[in-house]
Amino acid sequence: MRPKTQVIHAGIFGDENTGSVSVPIYQTSTYKQEAIGKTKGYDYSRSGNPTRHALEILIQELEHGKAGFAFGSGMAAISSVLMLLNSGDHVVITDDVYGGTFRVVDKVFNRLGISATFVDTSDPDRIKNAIKENTKAIYLETPTNPLLKITDIRKVAELAHQHQLLLIVDNTFATPYWQNPLDLGADIVLHSATKYIGGHSDVVAGLVVVSSEELAEKLYFIQNSVGAVPGPQDAWLLIRGIKTLALRMEQIEKNAGKIADYLSAHAKVRKVYYPGLASHPGHEVAAKQAGGFGGMISFDVGDEATVNQILSKTKYFTLAESLGAVESLISVPAKMTHASIPKPRRDELGITDGLIRLSIGIEDVEDLIEDLEQALS
Ligand SMILES: *Cc1c(COP(=O)(O)O)cnc(C)c1O
């Protein structure tokens, strides 16, 4: 099945019992047992729910893994995956990782005895140098947020497996439509499904796919024990969102390419971060490991005053946290998504006060460019 067909037909199509073409929302917490322990496969909705199950099979197939798991948010997914580690373990993580990931590692898991080293994973040698005796995992985000740095997943997978480390990849920005980390050697792929997978800014959720039965068993145990699961209605919204994932990602790709070119040529723009630009340091690796470059573009206009001017003038770019939806969004990472990262560290990374991040939507690109043109002038 090709990807455009897969988003429609993978997983469980409709409902066997009724012929319903849409997977039903099984809004139930519990299930009738014919006798004690005699069930139709479900006994309690934290442990399993048919709507959630349909979503979990769907994401498993889209990411070419052994098992899929749905969570109540991307952070719930990330936290549940990190719970595979034990107190005393160490993990190497991408330095400009999502702010919430940095926070949960630095403030929660650190307190529980799991330590981390944050490095620029786009340089595999830095990962190698950060590996310690107690290192158990490498955690990548690629492309990163908001600087769109690219890490060579295949190279890091080799390194991880030489050292018997788990390779975990946050694939939120690329989506399973463009990039399948498990095919490149990763052990676990995860998503904030709040973003492109949901795609309509109407649901908060997370998804994980693992490459082995052993990991599936361990993660299921954590999912069921901790219980950070989504309700059936949110699971259904994700199934519906995925139906148009291919269409959306194709349109976003076209729009983003044109906008990146437009910004690159603009006199007021000092720097554009977009992996689709040949000048981007990760361009070749991105082109090799992913089918598309995605819809996230960051650009630096130098100072806060210019940022504020642009923010106050855009009409179609809505000022908001989040990304990956049908409507274009604009944000200032230093003040919003990445505010939980201390300023000295932000400056070190290049997340300056003059940096603007765009999440390109599926609108007519001419309108989007005109909007940026009037805001920048
Ligand atoms: C948003 C995001 C997360 C966190 O997901 P939530 O659904 O907000 O909990 C994790 N990683 C990346 C790359 C994200 O963009």
Side-chain angles (χ1 to χ4, degrees):
M1 221 191 296
R2 294 170 181 84
K4 286 192 181 91
T5 309
Q6 213 186 13
V7 294
I8 311 295
H9 290 278
I12 293 170
F13 188 88
D15 183 43
E16 287 265 303
N17 296 325
T18 60
S20 162
V21 167
S22 164
V23 170
I25 299 170
Y26 283 94
Q27 192 73 53
T28 187
S29 61
T30 190
Y31 305 80
K32 181 182 167 187
Q33 306 190 6
E34 295 303 331
I36 296 172
K38 192 154 176 260
T39 69
K40 294 190 162 116
Y42 298 96
D43 57 17
Y44 188 61
S45 280
R46 168 163 36 74
S47 310
N49 171 283
T51 314
R52 190 178 96 216
H53 181 63
L55 169 65
E56 292 178 331
I57 302 236
L58 177 56
I59 192 64
Q60 174 211 322
E61 293 185 9
L62 294 183
E63 283 288 18
H64 312 157
K66 277 280 187 303
F69 300 90
F71 294 90
S73 69
M75 288 319 304
I78 290 164
S79 301
S80 298
V81 164
L82 290 173
M83 285 178 203
L84 291 166
L85 301 174
N86 294 312
S87 177
D89 289 351
H90 171 258
V91 51
V92 180
I93 306 184
T94 302
D95 59 2
D96 62 340
V97 75
Y98 178 72
T101 305
F102 176 78
R103 180 172 55 193
V104 82
V105 168
D106 188 54
K107 295 282 189 309
V108 180
F109 284 98
N110 189 39
R111 194 161 51 67
L112 301 176
I114 293 166
S115 59
T117 305
F118 294 87
V119 301
D120 180 350
T121 52
S122 66
D123 177 359
D125 283 340
R126 296 201 192 190
I127 303 179
K128 204 169 170 181
N129 294 337
I131 294 172
K132 306 200 246 182
E133 203 135 283
N134 60 340
T135 304
K136 291 289 155 56
I138 300 171
Y139 182 108
L140 303 179
E141 211 175 288
T142 182
T144 63
N145 179 15
L147 297 177
L148 289 311
K149 279 199 230 160
I150 303 293
T151 295
D152 189 328
I153 299 173
R154 209 186 286 274
K155 261 199 194 146
V156 178
E158 277 167 24
L159 178 66
H161 298 143
Q162 272 164 21
H163 294 261
Q164 272 111 42
L165 310 178
L166 273 182
L167 177 60
I168 304 161
V169 178
D170 182 335
N171 202 30
T172 301
F173 273 35
T175 81
Y177 185 66
W178 290 135
Q179 179 169 281
N180 296 117
L182 301 185
D183 291 348
L184 302 167
D187 302 291
I188 300 177
V189 55
L190 57 86
H191 291 273
S192 168
T194 312
K195 316 293 166 53
Y196 291 104
I197 288 181
H200 295 74
S201 302
D202 52 13
V203 59
V204 171
L207 294 169
V208 180
V209 179
V210 299
S211 64
S212 72
E213 295 292 348
E214 191 195 341
L215 282 171
E217 230 169 82
K218 287 183 180 165
L219 192 61
Y220 178 71
F221 187 83
I222 292 169
Q223 185 196 39
N224 188 38
S225 302
V226 176
V229 293
Q233 190 139 6
D234 284 351
W236 183 86
L237 279 168
L238 294 184
I239 295 170
R240 183 160 92 162
I242 289 170
K243 302 262 184 223
T244 57
L245 181 66
L247 281 177
R248 287 186 283 111
M249 294 317 291
E250 293 282 354
Q251 178 68 24
I252 285 169
E253 189 73 13
K254 284 187 196 142
N255 287 0
K258 287 187 182 154
I259 291 169
D261 286 341
Y262 162 78
L263 289 171
S264 302
H266 200 288
K268 280 203 185 145
V269 176
R270 299 195 178 176
K271 192 160 184 183
V272 180
Y273 301 88
Y274 183 64
L277 295 171
S279 59
H280 188 282
H283 177 70
E284 272 172 36
V285 175
K288 195 178 62 179
Q289 71 186 6
F293 302 106
M296 300 304 299
I297 301 172
S298 293
F299 62 105
D300 203 315
V301 293
D303 58 70
E304 205 174 329
T306 315
V307 167
N308 289 336
Q309 176 212 315
I310 294 166
L311 294 183
S312 68
K313 286 171 91 179
T314 53
K315 279 186 308 193
Y316 298 130
F317 288 88
T318 304
L319 177 64
E321 306 257 356
S322 200
L323 60 103
V326 288
E327 63 279 341
S328 294
L329 300 177
I330 188 166
S331 71
V332 183
K335 296 277 155 66
M336 299 167 73
T337 45
H338 290 63
S340 56
I341 298 179
K343 181 165 165 57
R345 202 177 147 60
R346 283 201 309 262
D347 288 341
E348 216 174 87
L349 296 170
I351 307 172
T352 63
D353 291 346
L355 190 75
I356 292 180
R357 189 187 79 178
L358 301 178
S359 170
I360 306 302
I362 62 171
E363 299 95 335
D364 190 314
V365 71
E366 298 303 328
D367 284 324
L368 297 179
I369 289 175
E370 278 171 26
D371 196 24
L372 290 171
E373 179 67 23
Q374 61 84 24
L376 276 158
S377 65

